[in-house]
Amino acid sequence: MTLSMPYLITINPGAILNELLSWLSYLNRGTVLLQLFLVGIVMVAEQRGALRRRMELRLVPEYIRVLIGPLLLLISSGLFLLVGLPWGLLRYFGLLWLGWMSFTPLKILLLSINKKFPVDELESTFLRPVYFIVATMSFIRLMGSTENLAQTPIANLFGVELTLGRIYLAIIAIYVIMTLSSRPATFLAWLSGVLFGVRPKNRRGMELLFRYSVIIIGIIGVAYFIGIDGTAFIAIAGGLSVGIGFGIKEIISNFISGIWLLFEGSVRPGEILMVNGDPCTVRKLGLRATQLRRGRDGAELLIPNQIFFTQEATSFTATETSRRDSVVVGAAYEHDPDIIVELLITIAKEHKKVLEYPPVKAFVIDFAESSINYKVLFWVANPLDSFEIGSDIRRTIWKQFEQKGITIPFPQRQIYPMEWPPSLQQSMHSAGGGGVVTQGIEPELTGSDEKANGEA
Amino acid sequence: MEANRVCAPIRRNRCSIALVLSTSLLGGCAITDSQGSIVLKVAQASNENEQHSSHRFEAERKITRDFQHQLIQKQPGIKLHPSIYPEESLERELKVQTNSGLGPDLVIADSNQALSLLALGLTEPIKLTKERQNLINPAALERVKTATGSLAGQPVSQFLQLACFDKRKLKKAPTTLSELSADSGKGKIFGMVTNLQDLYWSLGSFGAGEALTASLAGKKATEAAHERLTLWMRWLKASSYQQNIVFLRNQAALRKAFIQGEMSWISCWSSQLPQLRKELKDHLGIAPLPSGNFGRATPITRLQVWALGKNSSKRQRAESLKLLNFMVQPWAQKTYALKYQTGFPVNPAAALIVSKQLPAGFSKFSEDENKRVSRGDAIVSAINAKPRLRKDIQSTLNKLIFDGLSPEKAATELQNQMKANR
């Protein structure tokens, strides 16, 4: 069976299928079937809880009880050995199972030694992958020649013959590079900080750049290892360019934008950006999108990198972190604007988090309908604090105005109900008065008063 | 309600049912394929002696694949599934598989390995009828016989030690050691391997094998035999001083250098000819190894032995025996020897037919020749069966060729080692 794209990729899974099918010939053998049958019985019994339900076993912790199944298989393999029957399959499945079940006791043990030990990370990034590799390799070794199978060609990529072993190793190598690349990257970023005095905030960006570099170099190394040379790279690049043009344009665009933003330093982890009027902290600059945390409600925002690259963004931390904020307030016409301005400046200055320099300023900004409006402008060191400081200043203004008898006027509106059909008096008003309330007529209130008038 | 009562136990035991069904189904598939043939797993020890490389077993795999296809036409009931193992790890791997019941149905190895596998309980002894035994060269059968007289396997083919040369660099292979020396003086580069198995051919040219046989038997070699062994050591020492005679540590390195054009002539094995033919094409020349003043070269031969695995089912065993019978019949012996030209038939009748049609190095080989070189095969087999002795001999040869050990001392040391470790 050959699936091919002329001159580019040829895939020939026939050899692998043959190998897999040949494994079935072992099922002709009674001793193999007997071992598999026993494994099946123990596994089913374990799954249905038959091995753990006994009263005397309930006193044993769960993480010990789960080891009963695998231990039964190992004991069976010992018995098979004693009576001279093949026993390796029982031992293999027993050990495999025991290994899998040992994760929990191992994690408990590690946590008992050190509660802060990252056991989950260790399990997912190291223990389980290693377990998978060991399990597959030992299984293949049982079934046939590992080396023979490893050298079975299954694909041809740009004239390079890819064997199963090389593909397997390449996958493992790429996984290891992706998982462990953060360590050397962190070290390099730290080293840059020490040697060249890079600020901690910039180090995180550098760390990401180093990480991408390690991954790219690693992938190129893996490609060379599996035999893809310079010519093949050119061919792959040619193929990719078509792919980029049609299918994965957005992904590449986001990736390149992310790299560029890191170089430029405008969007780095720790930066504070305004997104739709809300200050947000950059948490992570990913391959495709930037992760931000919105200060207002703590929501996590995922914004494609190219948005920052192509659209306007407001940063409060690009060159300096201080931000200017303002509070608008209105005071009655009867108060002297000089006194109000002076009072507003004093209130703002007295707040602990308002910067002394640049100085606080207050202005008269409008002669409005019912009040003279003022604006007090002040600078804060951390843009994320401005919301809280604004609130503090507003509260203080209210209290100070209250103390000093300064009123904050508000528009007042009088409402008169209309009757239908209009009475003669109303009609005369409408025609001659233009709707303005004439002197001598008391304005009426809505609600019960209206009813009371009607009844009258 | 009634339906629910019937279905409930099925639902409860669905895992068990699925397991039984899938096992039965797979078991059914395993017995035969669509053509009704049975799959026989074959473990084959590599003859290439290559170090780890991406192209390890490439040539052998190609031959094996071709042989599979050829065999299906003649034996439609049998489908071989070979796996090639590095020689050094064959025993270890077979142990793991046999202990699990997943051992191969057939094991292809050399005579020493076959004996060793039987001793370890990884293969079954084979019982050959008188009629079948008559089809096989008695000397070959003798090499797979255990102390108790049982057979560790059935010899199928015999690989020979030959001289391989590049026709572009050397018009004619040297027929004597003197010619070899003369050609090396003309700038032709000759390559050899520094282990006794690969150098043994040159012992015959000096008649030095007698001293080794005596030492292995624990006897003191005659003065003349000792002198001839010393002469061989002197020749080795003198050759190591020559700029154009190169000694490398293994056959794989030698072959690589030859393929890359760094050598004009090397000692080689017939089992490795496919790889050399693929690389050098028509420029590859094959000749017998050069003789000396005392006598003709005594090349070593390696048997290809097919042994029975331990875990086969009744049907797999029956088909394996059927295949073994087929493999020693004159037709199969003649056909495969001529087709692959890597080994000499073990069936004397077939050997007589093919000897005239094989290339020069092979054509000189005959039943008489087989008897003549059998002493070397016995010595090398005995040494290979004792890893410690093999290591000591290797050390002596290394010191002689690469260090300052004198031929006289080396000859004495070698005999003492053989006596001590016999």
Side-chain angles (χ1 to χ4, degrees):
Chain A
M1 186 163 57
T2 304
L3 315 166
S4 66
M5 277 170 63
Y7 310 116
L8 295 176
I9 302 166
T10 314
I11 299 167
N12 182 15
I16 304 294
L17 285 176
N18 264 339
E19 183 70 32
L20 294 178
L21 285 174
S22 79
W23 292 354
L24 296 178
S25 69
Y26 292 130
L27 295 175
N28 270 322
R29 299 175 181 178
T31 51
V32 173
L33 284 177
L34 182 65
Q35 290 181 84
L36 289 178
F37 184 67
L38 204 57
V39 171
I41 295 271
V42 174
M43 288 182 93
V44 170
E46 163 68 22
Q47 198 193 8
R48 297 179 66 182
L51 302 179
R52 283 182 273 162
R53 230 180 269 149
R54 296 177 66 120
M55 281 300 286
E56 60 268 29
L57 290 174
R58 288 191 190 162
L59 300 169
V60 183
E62 175 67 15
Y63 62 85
I64 299 291
R65 271 188 285 162
V66 294
L67 302 179
I68 294 170
L71 289 175
L72 261 179
L73 286 184
L74 291 176
I75 292 166
S76 312
S77 77
L79 291 174
F80 270 53
L81 174 64
L82 284 177
V83 297
L85 283 170
W87 46 274
L89 266 182
L90 285 171
R91 191 186 67 159
Y92 172 76
F93 284 110
L95 288 176
L96 209 64
W97 195 358
L98 188 70
W100 186 259
M101 289 303 174
S102 301
F103 288 140
T104 312
L106 183 70
K107 277 162 65 181
I108 292 169
L109 181 74
L110 287 172
L111 282 175
S112 68
I113 295 166
N114 183 0
K115 279 186 182 167
K116 288 182 180 170
F117 200 88
V119 280
D120 288 330
E121 192 190 341
L122 180 80
E123 186 185 3
S124 61
T125 58
F126 178 73
L127 291 178
R128 288 192 190 266
V130 167
Y131 176 86
F132 174 77
I133 292 166
V134 171
T136 50
M137 293 302 286
S138 50
F139 184 73
I140 291 169
R141 192 179 167 210
L142 270 181
M143 292 295 176
S145 164
T146 323
E147 201 155 347
N148 191 50
L149 194 63
Q151 289 181 27
T152 307
I154 55 163
N156 194 303
L157 184 65
F158 305 106
V160 178
E161 194 172 70
L162 299 179
T163 59
L164 188 64
R166 280 177 181 265
I167 291 174
Y168 186 78
L169 278 179
I171 291 169
I172 292 174
I174 288 173
Y175 174 78
V176 170
I177 290 164
M178 300 282 252
T179 313
L180 300 182
S181 59
S182 59
R183 305 289 183 268
T186 310
F187 173 73
L188 283 173
W190 171 81
L191 200 66
S192 315
V194 172
L195 293 178
F196 306 111
V198 179
R199 285 190 297 169
K201 195 176 282 181
N202 294 353
R203 276 187 212 169
R204 293 181 69 181
M206 285 187 78
E207 189 183 318
L208 213 54
L209 274 179
F210 283 135
R211 190 169 174 210
Y212 288 152
S213 310
V214 170
I215 291 172
I216 289 167
I217 291 167
I219 288 173
I220 291 173
V222 170
Y224 269 103
F225 165 74
I226 62 171
I228 297 171
D229 56 7
T231 322
F233 266 120
I234 293 167
I236 291 170
L240 272 182
S241 59
V242 177
I244 290 167
F246 289 104
I248 54 172
K249 183 171 80 73
E250 293 299 317
I251 296 170
I252 297 294
S253 166
N254 279 318
F255 176 70
I256 300 292
S257 301
I259 298 281
W260 187 268
L261 290 170
L262 272 176
F263 269 118
E264 198 180 59
S266 53
V267 179
R268 288 169 299 200
E271 291 280 332
I272 294 164
L273 301 176
M274 288 295 278
V275 176
N276 297 330
D278 284 310
C280 301
T281 314
V282 178
R283 299 288 295 267
K284 196 173 148 190
L285 194 59
L287 282 175
R288 186 192 71 81
T290 303
Q291 190 183 342
L292 297 107
R293 186 186 165 86
R294 192 158 60 195
R296 173 162 57 87
D297 53 6
E300 298 274 341
L301 307 179
L302 272 174
I303 298 175
N305 292 335
Q306 61 173 339
I307 299 284
F308 293 110
F309 192 69
T310 55
Q311 291 181 15
E312 179 189 305
T314 311
S315 171
F316 289 115
T317 43
T319 51
E320 56 174 304
T321 55
S322 54
R323 178 193 172 186
R324 195 175 202 187
D325 205 355
S326 62
V327 169
V328 175
V329 66
Y333 271 93
E334 65 200 59
H335 307 297
D336 183 351
D338 289 345
I339 295 169
I340 304 291
V341 164
E342 195 56 41
L343 181 63
L344 289 174
I345 288 172
T346 313
I347 290 169
K349 268 184 177 175
E350 279 173 1
H351 196 284
K352 278 188 289 183
K353 288 186 177 175
V354 170
L355 294 175
E356 282 181 29
Y357 188 85
V360 176
K361 287 186 175 171
F363 302 96
V364 177
I365 55 167
D366 196 13
F367 291 112
E369 267 186 77
S370 52
S371 63
I372 300 176
N373 290 344
Y374 302 88
K375 188 179 206 176
V376 57
L377 292 153
F378 54 90
W379 288 84
V380 293
N382 185 350
L384 290 178
D385 289 341
S386 65
F387 196 73
E388 186 191 335
I389 295 167
S391 162
D392 289 348
I393 290 174
R394 282 185 194 93
R395 281 190 291 137
T396 316
I397 289 172
W398 187 87
K399 283 174 188 162
Q400 291 281 325
F401 277 20
E402 182 78 3
Q403 243 178 36
K404 294 187 170 25
I406 301 167
T407 50
I408 302 176
F410 50 89
Q412 293 177 19
R413 190 158 293 158
Q414 292 177 323
I415 299 166
Y416 302 94
M418 300 284 288
E419 279 179 15
W420 194 263
S423 64
L424 180 63
Q425 195 179 27
Q426 269 187 331
S427 299
M428 282 171 66
H429 280 307
S430 306
V436 178
V437 180
T438 53
Q439 210 166 11
I441 298 172
E442 289 294 316
E444 284 178 338
L445 297 172
T446 55
S448 57
D449 290 342
E450 187 183 345
K451 197 178 171 187
N453 281 341
E455 279 169 359
Chain B
M1 282 296 282
E2 188 59 31
N4 265 347
R5 229 186 7 249
V6 173
C7 291
I10 298 174
R11 271 203 299 272
R12 267 203 310 277
N13 296 307
R14 61 185 185 277
C15 288
S16 324
I17 292 166
L19 189 76
V20 170
L21 281 178
S22 56
T23 311
S24 318
L25 188 70
L26 292 176
C29 292
I31 292 165
T32 55
D33 66 2
S34 53
Q35 286 98 41
S37 57
I38 189 163
V39 177
L40 294 182
K41 298 281 276 185
V42 181
Q44 185 179 347
S46 170
N47 287 311
E48 290 186 0
N49 190 25
E50 294 279 8
Q51 300 307 299
H52 289 276
S53 80
S54 56
H55 300 296
R56 198 176 190 188
F57 313 145
E58 195 178 277
E60 282 179 323
R61 194 183 288 117
K62 202 176 165 192
I63 289 183
T64 311
R65 238 186 344 251
D66 188 69
F67 179 68
Q68 267 176 290
H69 293 138
Q70 295 277 327
L71 191 73
I72 284 174
Q73 291 167 12
K74 301 294 164 197
Q75 296 282 325
I78 298 172
K79 196 173 177 184
L80 289 189
H81 188 86
S83 293
I84 302 174
Y85 293 82
E87 196 181 342
E88 65 276 8
S89 64
L90 180 74
E91 276 180 16
R92 200 173 55 239
E93 299 296 325
L94 288 193
K95 203 170 180 179
V96 172
Q97 291 174 12
T98 307
N99 285 341
S100 307
L102 305 172
D105 299 301
L106 285 166
V107 181
I108 301 177
D110 68 19
S111 52
N112 279 338
Q113 275 178 324
L115 286 166
S116 169
L117 292 172
L118 183 66
L120 288 167
L122 300 175
T123 52
E124 291 276 349
I126 188 167
K127 285 178 187 135
L128 296 180
T129 57
K130 200 79 191 154
E131 194 186 11
R132 181 104 69 92
Q133 287 192 21
N134 288 338
L135 289 172
I136 303 166
N137 182 345
L141 271 182
E142 205 55 42
R143 286 169 71 177
V144 290
K145 220 173 245 179
T146 64
T148 57
S150 55
L151 296 172
Q154 177 187 282
V156 167
S157 179
Q158 198 168 14
F159 300 127
L160 316 176
Q161 211 179 1
L162 303 162
C164 294
F165 63 100
D166 190 335
K167 287 179 189 168
R168 291 167 293 188
K169 296 180 177 175
L170 208 60
K171 281 187 181 165
K172 186 175 147 287
T175 53
T176 63
L177 292 177
S178 314
E179 278 180 32
L180 187 149
S181 182
D183 282 341
S184 74
K186 290 175 197 163
K188 311 293 178 193
I189 300 173
F190 290 78
M192 293 171 216
V193 180
T194 56
N195 68 53
L196 190 64
Q197 179 174 317
D198 284 275
L199 284 173
Y200 192 87
W201 62 269
S202 56
L203 269 139
S205 312
F206 294 90
E210 191 188 327
L212 297 188
T213 312
S215 302
L216 263 181
K219 293 174 191 164
K220 192 175 184 300
T222 60
E223 199 62 40
H226 178 77
E227 185 52 35
R228 286 198 294 275
L229 182 64
T230 313
L231 272 176
W232 176 65
M233 294 283 193
R234 281 193 197 122
W235 172 78
L236 268 184
K237 188 84 180 170
S239 301
S240 74
Y241 286 152
Q242 290 203 37
Q243 197 184 346
N244 291 334
I245 297 182
V246 180
F247 288 92
L248 296 180
R249 287 192 188 273
N250 60 55
Q251 192 69 42
L254 194 67
R255 216 162 44 246
K256 191 178 169 194
F258 183 60
I259 288 167
Q260 287 173 348
E262 292 166 19
M263 303 214 172
S264 313
W265 181 103
I266 60 167
S267 65
C268 61
W269 286 88
S270 61
S271 57
Q272 295 152 358
L273 289 175
Q275 190 190 359
L276 296 177
R277 280 194 197 110
K278 186 188 159 203
E279 301 295 337
L280 276 89
K281 297 187 173 66
D282 291 340
H283 303 300
L284 177 70
I286 302 165
L289 287 156
S291 308
N293 293 333
F294 183 86
R296 280 158 56 198
T298 47
I300 299 297
T301 63
R302 278 179 72 179
L303 282 182
Q304 189 194 60
V305 178
W306 290 37
L308 294 170
K310 194 131 179 147
N311 300 131
S312 302
S313 66
K314 273 186 183 169
R315 189 170 168 208
Q316 286 167 336
R317 176 57 52 83
E319 293 296 334
S320 302
L321 287 169
K322 197 173 142 192
L323 178 63
L324 287 184
N325 185 39
F326 169 76
M327 286 306 293
V328 285
Q329 296 303 321
W331 182 89
Q333 287 273 301
K334 175 203 74 174
T335 308
Y336 298 129
L338 287 175
K339 181 167 174 57
Y340 301 115
Q341 301 195 359
T342 56
F344 201 73
V346 290
N347 183 317
L352 201 66
I353 300 166
V354 301
S355 61
K356 289 189 176 67
Q357 296 174 55
L358 287 170
F362 284 104
S363 60
K364 296 274 168 77
F365 201 77
S366 63
E367 201 171 341
D368 291 339
E369 180 75 351
N370 211 347
K371 279 179 195 158
R372 189 180 71 81
V373 299
S374 62
R375 182 165 67 184
D377 294 335
I379 290 173
V380 170
S381 292
I383 293 169
N384 284 344
K386 299 180 182 81
R388 173 108 187 261
L389 176 60
R390 194 164 64 171
K391 202 176 160 193
D392 288 346
I393 292 174
Q394 188 62 59
S395 166
T396 305
L397 289 176
N398 285 347
K399 281 191 280 181
L400 174 78
I401 294 167
F402 301 115
D403 290 336
L405 186 69
S406 70
E408 291 74 19
K409 279 187 183 165
T412 310
E413 199 174 299
L414 194 68
Q415 288 177 94
N416 290 340
Q417 283 164 346
M418 289 177 114
K419 272 188 218 168
N421 290 299
R422 70 198 173 82

